[in-house]
Structures are given as C-alpha cells and as structure tokens.
Amino acid sequence: MRTISENRCFGGVQGVYSHDSKVTNCEMTFGLFLPAEAEFGPVPVLWYLSGLTCTHDNAMTKAGAQAFAAEHGIALVFPDTSPRGEGVADHEDYDLGQGAGFYVNATQDPWAAHFQMWDYIAEELPRVVTAAFAIDGERQSITGHSMGGHGALTLAMGLPGRFRSVSAFAPIANPLMSDWGRKQLGAYLGSDETAWAQHDASHLMRDIGFDGEVLIDQGTSDQFLELLRPEALAGALATRRQPGTFRMQQGYDHSYFFVQSFMPDHIDFHAEALWQ
C-alpha cells in the first residue's frame, strides 16, 4: 500500500492510495474517505462505483458525497473503473478497455490477463481496505453511476448478504439489450450470451432480486436513455415486487450535477441501513 495523498475533509480524511493487485496484475489506485469517527473504531462503508471513462478521482472530487457521509459517520471507497498501465490492453473506443472495465471478470484475450474487475471489487479491494483502515466489513452498502450503477446493482444481487442496501444513479440497466453492454460483454466474456445474464441488472432483479431496499434515480433528460434502458429495470422491480424506490427526475441529465443533486438522499438511504 502506498499513500498518494491525504487531505483533511469535513473532520475526517480524504486519502488516495495505490497497491499492487494480484487480481488485475497491475497497480490499482483508489480513493477512501474516512470520517472523524474512524479515529475511535471501525465505521460502516459505502462503495461508490464510477462510470465510463472515469478513474477513482471523478466521483471523489465531483459527487459531493463526503459532507453527507461525514454527517453519518460513514466511510466512502472510490475504486478505479479498470486496470491501467503499461501492458494493460486498451481500445481506441472510450467505452471499451481502460476506463471501461464493466465490473466483470474477462475470459477473452487480450482482456483476461488484467480485466478481473468483479473479483477486484468483490474480494481483493475489500480485503485491502479492511486490513489497513478502520472499516467495518460487516456493514457495507454500494452505489454507483451509469456503468458504476450497473456494477453496484449486479454486485449487490450477485453477492447475497454482502450489502445492506444498494442504490444507483442512471445505471446501465439492461446491457443485454444495449450497445452499452453487448459490445463490452461480448468482448470481455465471449459470444455465449448465457454468460452475460449475471451482469444484467434487469435480468437479475427479475430472477433473484435484492435482499434489502433499493433506490434508483434516473433523469428524464438523460442524453443516454436509449442506452441505459431504465424501463427494463423499472419493469423488473415491479414484476418481482422488490422493496424499493425508482424515481424519474424531471429535467436532469447524465452529468455529475445530477449525481450531486440526489447524493444527500442516497447517503441518507444507506445510512439508515448501515446503522441499523
């Protein structure tokens, strides 16, 4: 573990750290906000997964989450969205390769050597942060934006009992039926579409659901609505009668201004579950 930076933030510390990942076979960087309460013992944690083209830094500096997390004594983890560095496969398109890991374990060349983002988020990074910092591994929740919303939902449903709550901002909700999904899942996982279903939030919601509360916010003026397919997830929630809330927010787009606007609601939502 290497400390890149640490800054005082709302009574706590916003840090950036790197470590050598055995899972992704490269150096990985993440942001971690620890509230003041972490000086006295382990605190609950909310994972924030970012979207296409992002690094650990985007949400850490743009989402405005630290102020609200500090109010509730909750840690925030901001992982990177993919492996990076010399020797890590990339692509000329922004929505494939570095910055576009889609939170899956790639099985296809040239991606399989490094793009093991499911295992990194689900297993390795939690071990790293709970071993090195005052994080309570028994009290975890997860959220994310766009590709990160896809990751948050699929991880929450794919790891029953791990997370106490899940939320998402404008998630890629139905990648099996979207160019933001078919392209990437085909590249990373191959042509067998049966392997893709475990990474489609709408399919997972319909088939297994989540063993807790769900909160989804989606802007009505989102420029990527046809790629996100929120209607598929809303339908799956209704079909399963999943406890939770799905909100279409009038006039909001896909930007971090949208995320900032509803971050207080999401932090409050997770805090209620984490401090029960």
Side-chain angles (χ1 to χ4, degrees):
M1 181 92 73
R2 291 169 287 280
T3 300
I4 296 174
S5 64
E6 289 183 332
N7 298 95
R8 201 70 175 162
C9 183
F10 294 104
V13 175
Q14 175 61 65
V16 178
Y17 309 93
S18 67
H19 68 108
D20 296 323
S21 168
K22 294 180 180 179
V23 170
T24 65
N25 295 306
C26 66
E27 184 178 50
M28 298 293 291
T29 301
F30 65 94
L32 171 66
F33 170 73
L34 287 173
E37 288 84 348
E39 296 180 19
F40 307 101
V43 295
V45 61
L46 175 61
W47 296 81
Y48 184 102
L49 305 186
S50 288
L52 289 166
T53 75
C54 291
T55 69
H56 70 280
D57 184 68
N58 294 73
M60 187 181 79
T61 57
K62 294 181 180 180
Q66 292 91 336
F68 309 107
E71 290 179 5
H72 292 289
I74 294 171
L76 300 168
V77 181
F78 303 97
D80 203 347
T81 55
S82 78
R84 298 180 192 272
E86 186 176 353
V88 176
D90 202 4
H91 196 277
E92 62 184 7
D93 294 341
Y94 75 93
D95 57 357
L96 187 66
Q98 294 186 34
F102 256 73
Y103 304 102
V104 304
N105 287 339
T107 60
Q108 305 299 301
D109 291 334
W111 314 106
H114 299 283
F115 281 71
Q116 304 297 310
M117 287 301 293
W118 178 281
D119 282 353
Y120 179 69
I121 299 296
E123 304 298 337
E124 187 178 42
L125 189 55
R127 289 197 299 268
V128 169
V129 298
T130 55
F133 302 98
I135 299 294
D136 183 350
E138 298 300 314
R139 290 185 290 167
Q140 302 186 60
S141 291
I142 191 166
T143 188
H145 173 228
S146 193
M147 180 185 72
H150 141 82
L153 289 165
T154 57
L155 282 155
M157 289 183 279
L159 299 169
R162 171 73 64 88
F163 301 105
R164 296 193 178 188
S165 53
V166 60
S167 73
F169 301 85
I172 299 175
N174 188 202
L176 268 69
M177 300 300 293
S178 168
D179 287 342
W180 272 0
R182 297 191 63 81
K183 172 182 178 179
Q184 294 82 0
L185 296 177
Y188 295 144
L189 302 178
S191 59
D192 182 4
E193 294 188 19
T194 60
W196 302 3
Q198 64 183 309
H199 299 292
D200 186 297
S202 296
H203 280 251
L204 289 173
M205 185 60 70
R206 184 193 63 208
D207 294 344
I208 63 174
F210 177 66
D211 53 350
E213 293 281 338
V214 177
L215 173 61
I216 310 293
D217 274 311
Q218 171 64 62
T220 63
S221 296
D222 193 313
Q223 59 270 45
F224 302 115
L225 277 175
E226 296 303 314
L227 293 166
L228 301 172
R229 291 184 51 81
E231 66 277 5
L233 181 57
L237 284 158
T239 297
R240 188 160 187 88
R241 299 178 181 175
Q242 167 72 43
T245 303
F246 188 106
R247 307 188 297 194
M248 295 295 297
Q249 301 290 1
Q250 182 65 39
Y252 285 89
D253 59 18
H254 200 70
S255 69
Y256 273 99
F257 296 111
F258 160 64
V259 175
Q260 290 173 16
S261 297
F262 299 101
M263 184 59 72
D265 290 356
H266 284 245
I267 299 288
D268 288 347
F269 166 75
H270 291 296
E272 184 175 353
L274 287 167
W275 284 112
Q276 285 181 350

